[in-house]
Amino acid sequence: MYDLIIRNGKIVDGTGAPWFAADLAIRDGLIVSVGSISGEAVQEIDARGLFITPGFIDIHTHSDESVLCDPSSQSKITQGITTEVIGNCGYSAAPAVGGAVAKVKESLAEFALELTWSSFAEYLDCLRRVRPSVNLYPLVGHGILRRAVQAGPDQEVSQGKLVHLLEEVLDQGARGLSTGLIYPPGCFATTEEICRLCKINARKGGIYATHIRNEGDNLLDAVTEAITIGERSGVRVQISHLKAAGPANHGRVTEALDLILRARERGVDVAYDAYPYTASSTGLSAYLPDWAHRPDGRTLREKLLDPTLSRRLQAETEAIVVARGGWGALMVSFLSDQANSWMVGLSLAEIAEQTGQEPWSVVKELLLQNQTVEVICFCLSQADVDQVICHPLATFGSDATSRAVQGVLAQGKPHPRAFGTFPRIIRDYVRERKLLGFEEAIRKMTSAPAARLGLYRRGMIRPGFAADLVGLDYASIADQATYLEPHRLSTGIVFVLVNGGLAYDVAGGVTLPGFGQVLSSDKA
Ligand SMILES: [Zn+2]
């Protein structure tokens, strides 16, 4: 007797092999049989006309807090995502100790959540307790570790304490380390510091995911730094959301890919992920020069209010923004303060025009009034994105927080990648433009990221593997989210199983409590 049999589906097993006709039997959360199945089950699904694939692995996300706010992960599971990697770009919600407490609280405020943990282990317990819909693969953020051990805002970071804390967190279930080297405090760390940490990370089997130091004019130096860290420490390197930002840098992904491939030939384990959009998204403050954030006795607020420093900030920020395509390329996507919510969805050039101000004055005002200002930047070329997405080494990451079509997680106009990344690849790259084969695209969404992450029992349809599965309708699969209307669910995902449980079906929505697990050990 099985728990579930899926009959008559076309199986895309995740290896890249062509689809084949077979039934699947599931028991105790695992796929137990593939083929012509005669037994009986508590439940049967007739999947005639559908493809059955392994669940998609979103290798780069920011759902660290949103999943506690709403464990249904609606924007993700409706794309067929069954596993999310959290703790990226140098930020994780734990350990919340020392100087990291204020940062985590600030981040939780956006979701109206209270801080109820301190150690990494306690945070993982909180994740388990909410019974998430999808599996969560936790990384620890380098920026959070740095804040946690720093005695005061302008004190040196004790390298000994940093190393010790990383060891502790890896022992508590973190599967690796992430950096965000454009954001404070990661941007103040040396390559040496990261190498030192990555040696320990490598010894414990962790992955190193990095938002590299520069994605514009100094892209190639930044890729080289990531490779050097892998070469010196022996760590597995995952370059996050690989891109070449700004018109002057379009085309440079070819050289970046070349660096990566040459490093692999030398034996450095380095790969990358990407999202299928020509716009990026981050905080507005990331467009300011590093010294704006440097802890030199003055806060960013004080620097913005100082007339001399403000003029310097203006000149340097304008240069950075011009290199990305100008004020018209930056669209406000989220403001934590409601007062100016009419600006959300407009570019900084449009806001400046409508308010009769200079763009810099708008930027200054927004940064002074809001705890968080998020922007979308239309700064990538389609040819670059195509090259990066289609390369065999690529895996895919939404780079997004889980969202929903209603409630706290439906605020602002987040980047449409939150709702559409995976269906968009199948619609645009596979079905419409035919740049990728269907089975190859599914491989890059399943077995490829599973191998990268050391998830050796997920990402393929094989007896003994976790029953993370997607039933999809090829003809109708599509992303529906747009920049101006991002809160739209993708279509064509008919049902999703997570660890054998029916987590989503298009008729009934998301099942709660969910069947997701916290993948905090290599037995997961
Ligand atoms: Zn990032």
Side-chain angles (χ1 to χ4, degrees):
M1 190 74 176
Y2 301 111
D3 294 335
L4 174 68
I5 296 175
I6 302 172
R7 293 197 190 276
N8 307 316
K10 290 183 276 185
I11 310 292
V12 179
D13 69 3
T15 64
W19 69 266
F20 55 92
D23 304 331
L24 296 180
I26 290 148
R27 192 194 294 131
D28 296 331
L30 302 177
I31 299 165
V32 289
S33 189
V34 183
S36 178
I37 292 163
S38 53
E40 276 179 51
V42 178
Q43 196 186 353
E44 289 210 8
I45 294 177
D46 183 5
R48 196 172 298 275
L50 301 182
F51 284 103
I52 309 298
T53 76
F56 304 155
I57 298 174
D58 189 346
I59 201 166
H60 184 95
T61 88
H62 294 287
S63 302
D64 306 68
E65 284 122 1
S66 58
V67 69
L68 296 173
C69 173
D70 177 0
S72 71
S73 300
Q74 190 186 34
S75 62
K76 300 291 178 105
I77 204 153
T78 50
Q79 297 182 54
I81 292 164
T82 56
T83 298
E84 287 195 73
V85 177
I86 57 174
N88 278 295
C89 298
Y91 179 81
S92 55
V97 294
V101 171
K103 179 69 184 172
V104 175
K105 279 188 173 166
E106 177 194 314
S107 184
L108 286 169
E110 190 187 320
F111 305 101
L113 289 170
E114 299 281 334
L115 179 59
T116 58
W117 60 87
S118 66
S119 71
F120 205 82
E122 286 166 7
Y123 168 66
L124 296 185
D125 280 340
C126 289
L127 292 179
R128 288 185 193 101
R129 235 174 285 135
V130 299
R131 305 279 312 271
S133 284
V134 302
N135 302 310
L136 299 164
Y137 182 103
L139 303 179
V140 65
H142 164 250
I144 279 297
L145 294 178
R146 249 180 160 259
R147 286 177 198 271
V149 302
Q150 201 170 19
D154 38 17
Q155 300 286 303
E156 280 285 312
V157 171
S158 153
Q159 296 295 312
K161 282 186 183 163
L162 202 53
V163 163
H164 183 77
L165 184 58
L166 174 65
E167 269 188 309
E168 195 178 293
V169 165
L170 291 170
D171 287 340
Q172 289 180 16
R175 300 293 300 269
L177 175 73
S178 78
T179 54
L181 301 180
I182 68 159
Y183 304 111
C187 60
F188 306 123
T190 61
T191 309
E192 263 57 59
E193 173 177 316
I194 303 163
C195 272
R196 205 174 296 125
L197 294 172
C198 279
K199 274 184 194 153
I200 289 142
N201 191 17
R203 184 152 38 80
K204 303 252 182 203
I207 191 168
Y208 171 57
T210 177
H211 180 147
I212 57 178
R213 223 175 269 277
N214 192 291
E215 296 176 330
D217 295 350
N218 297 317
L219 170 69
L220 300 180
D221 290 343
V223 169
T224 302
E225 183 189 28
I227 290 169
T228 302
I229 289 164
E231 202 146 29
R232 288 204 204 142
S233 68
V235 81
R236 239 177 315 145
V237 179
Q238 181 75 7
I239 296 176
S240 302
H241 43 61
L242 181 64
K243 62 172 88 73
N249 300 308
H250 290 169
R252 287 220 172 129
V253 296
T254 308
E255 291 156 87
L257 280 170
D258 218 52
L259 288 173
I260 292 169
L261 293 177
R262 273 191 279 144
R264 289 184 66 85
E265 279 168 19
R266 297 198 300 277
V268 187
D269 184 352
V270 52
Y272 70 91
D273 50 72
Y275 48 78
Y277 293 86
T278 54
S280 64
S281 176
T282 192
L284 178 58
S285 62
Y287 291 86
L288 270 48
D290 282 358
W291 64 266
H293 309 289
R294 197 177 293 280
D296 49 11
R298 290 213 243 190
T299 63
L300 173 60
R301 180 175 201 87
E302 286 163 342
K303 289 172 192 169
L304 286 168
L305 290 170
D306 178 303
T308 315
L309 290 180
S310 171
R311 267 195 300 280
R312 228 183 104 196
L313 277 176
Q314 174 174 6
E316 293 183 34
T317 304
E318 276 175 359
I320 292 169
V321 170
V322 165
R324 288 288 195 272
W327 296 110
L330 279 181
M331 179 189 120
V332 175
S333 61
F334 176 79
L335 296 172
S336 52
D337 188 282
Q338 297 300 309
N340 285 314
S341 54
W342 65 270
M343 294 179 182
V344 173
L346 297 179
S347 75
L348 287 168
E350 289 170 319
I351 297 166
E353 205 187 293
Q354 293 188 25
T355 56
Q357 287 174 293
E358 271 191 274
W360 171 250
S361 307
V362 176
V363 167
K364 208 163 116 171
E365 225 167 83
L366 288 177
L367 289 175
L368 289 171
Q369 277 172 7
N370 295 271
Q371 182 92 269
T372 315
V373 184
E374 296 278 340
V375 290
I376 289 174
C377 183
F378 296 87
C379 61
L380 311 179
S381 91
Q382 187 69 53
D384 280 1
V385 175
D386 292 352
Q387 192 183 354
V388 161
I389 291 287
C390 293
H391 193 281
L393 261 189
T395 49
F396 308 130
S398 67
D399 198 6
T401 300
S402 58
R403 304 277 175 185
V405 294
Q406 280 179 334
V408 182
L409 298 187
Q411 291 172 0
K413 294 202 186 294
H415 194 298
R417 66 195 182 192
F419 283 84
T421 293
F422 288 76
R424 182 179 179 90
I425 289 166
I426 300 173
R427 173 189 65 77
D428 182 23
Y429 285 83
V430 178
R431 195 179 63 218
E432 292 179 1
R433 288 195 287 150
K434 303 191 186 338
L435 299 176
L436 266 180
F438 180 49
E439 287 87 349
E440 169 64 359
I442 298 298
R443 181 190 70 76
K444 286 147 72 87
M445 295 174 178
T446 58
S447 70
R452 218 55 225 129
L453 298 167
L455 291 172
Y456 302 121
R457 292 171 189 82
R458 296 181 191 272
M460 280 190 253
I461 295 180
R462 288 277 186 275
F465 274 54
D468 292 346
L469 296 165
V470 172
L472 69 86
D473 174 41
Y474 182 77
S476 67
I477 194 161
D479 52 314
Q480 302 294 337
T482 62
Y483 292 101
L484 290 178
E485 289 197 59
H487 297 102
R488 292 160 91 177
L489 300 178
S490 292
T491 50
I493 300 293
V494 179
F495 66 85
V496 179
L497 302 182
V498 177
N499 297 305
L502 186 61
Y504 169 74
D505 84 272
V506 71
V510 188
T511 305
L512 278 177
F515 304 97
Q517 295 173 3
V518 176
L519 308 179
S520 56
S521 91
D522 54 11
K523 284 166 224 35

